[in-house]
Amino acid sequence: QKEVEQNSGPLSVPEGAIASLNCTYSDRVSQSFFWYRQYSGKSPELIMSIYSNGDKEDGRFTAQLNKASQYVSLLIRDSQPSDSATYLCAVEGSGGYNKLIFGAGTRLAVHP
Amino acid sequence: DTGVSQDPRHKITKRGQNVTFRCDPISEHNRLYWYRQTLGQGPEFLTYFQNEAQLEKSRLLSNRFSAERPKGSFSTLEIQRTEQGDSAMYLCASSPGTGIINEKLFFGSGTQLSVL
């Protein structure tokens, strides 16, 4: 079993819709969780971090965390074509120095 | 531009050759990380430096790979006797190292290695 699992997609949504991206992780002691966006040929950029159960909202993005279910999700409201990218879920690994374990990513395509 | 520089951007080499990549982190950042990413996969952790000390190296990293960070500034990643399976994007990232949780990692643009 991989440490961080994501559906590879592609997830295709129409412009203006809500895109829902999901991630599960295997290490129960993980405390910090991140969503990165990666455009083709570019490096990952951080869009959300979350470490408490519940929801965290930032603009059109909402991250949701359920530690009991070992589940993290990212909702993108009012999806735009510019949101088309690969979304990487990352979990902080052991060691306490922000080492990140990444999932394989979900490719999102927002069509006009 | 995140402030993390990597050089070169692209490297094409023949199997069996040695290659070296350079990373210049954001100047005040104490922590430096190397990741490797292949097509369709997420970045895979390779190694981590706190200042000049290499504190963790992935078990997946063969002994053909070596990394240094002299004086805690720039870092180099060397791959000896390259193999076609080494073809990947090599990403460097840095973070301040203040000890807080959720510290943001800043990624460089990466070095794309192609081994022929």
Side-chain angles (χ1 to χ4, degrees):
Chain A
Q1 182 188 7
K2 290 186 177 180
E3 293 185 70
V4 181
E5 298 216 42
Q6 297 181 253
N7 187 322
S8 62
L11 173 65
S12 183
V13 300
E15 184 174 356
I18 296 174
S20 178
L21 304 160
N22 305 315
C23 170
T24 57
Y25 60 94
S26 61
D27 189 350
R28 286 193 167 275
V29 302
S30 297
Q31 295 294 319
S32 302
F33 308 87
F34 306 84
W35 284 99
Y36 281 78
R37 178 175 61 198
Q38 187 172 30
Y39 292 111
S40 181
K42 303 293 186 183
S43 59
E45 71 176 306
L46 179 67
I47 53 173
M48 290 287 287
S49 61
I50 186 168
Y51 51 90
S52 299
N53 277 329
D55 296 359
K56 179 181 177 182
E57 187 174 317
D58 184 0
R60 295 186 297 112
F61 299 98
T62 299
Q64 299 174 317
L65 174 60
N66 184 325
K67 291 184 180 179
S69 300
Q70 295 174 244
Y71 177 89
V72 193
S73 67
L74 179 70
L75 301 178
I76 306 175
R77 290 181 299 282
D78 188 25
S79 296
Q80 301 297 309
S82 58
D83 295 326
S84 298
T86 296
Y87 289 80
L88 299 162
C89 174
V91 174
E92 185 172 357
S94 60
Y97 52 80
N98 302 106
K99 164 186 163 184
L100 297 181
I101 311 298
F102 285 86
T106 298
R107 190 157 55 91
L108 172 66
V110 181
H111 53 86
Chain B
D1 183 6
T2 63
V4 179
S5 301
Q6 291 189 247
D7 185 68
R9 290 294 307 277
H10 303 275
K11 178 69 177 180
I12 300 173
T13 191
K14 292 183 179 178
R15 186 162 50 98
Q17 298 294 304
N18 298 344
V19 294
T20 300
F21 310 140
R22 176 180 171 123
C23 172
D24 287 89
I26 294 171
S27 61
E28 62 269 24
H29 284 189
N30 296 326
R31 294 177 176 171
L32 187 145
Y33 314 79
W34 284 98
Y35 285 82
R36 174 174 63 190
Q37 186 175 22
T38 54
L39 200 62
Q41 299 299 313
E44 173 190 34
F45 172 80
L46 294 180
T47 192
Y48 156 71
F49 289 86
Q50 174 79 32
N51 298 312
E52 68 275 9
Q54 186 176 20
L55 297 185
E56 184 173 343
K57 187 175 175 180
S58 170
R59 288 171 294 174
L60 301 174
L61 213 57
S62 80
N63 55 15
R64 296 184 297 105
F65 287 71
S66 62
E68 294 183 338
R69 193 183 181 196
K71 302 179 183 178
S73 55
F74 71 92
S75 177
T76 58
L77 177 68
E78 180 183 17
I79 309 174
Q80 296 181 329
R81 304 181 303 282
T82 53
E83 301 173 357
Q84 288 183 325
D86 297 331
S87 296
M89 174 75 81
Y90 289 83
L91 293 163
C92 176
S94 71
S95 69
T98 57
I100 62 171
I101 62 171
N102 289 336
E103 194 171 81
K104 181 178 177 179
L105 264 64
F106 295 80
F107 280 90
S109 298
T111 294
Q112 181 66 53
L113 173 66
S114 298
V115 181
L116 305 178

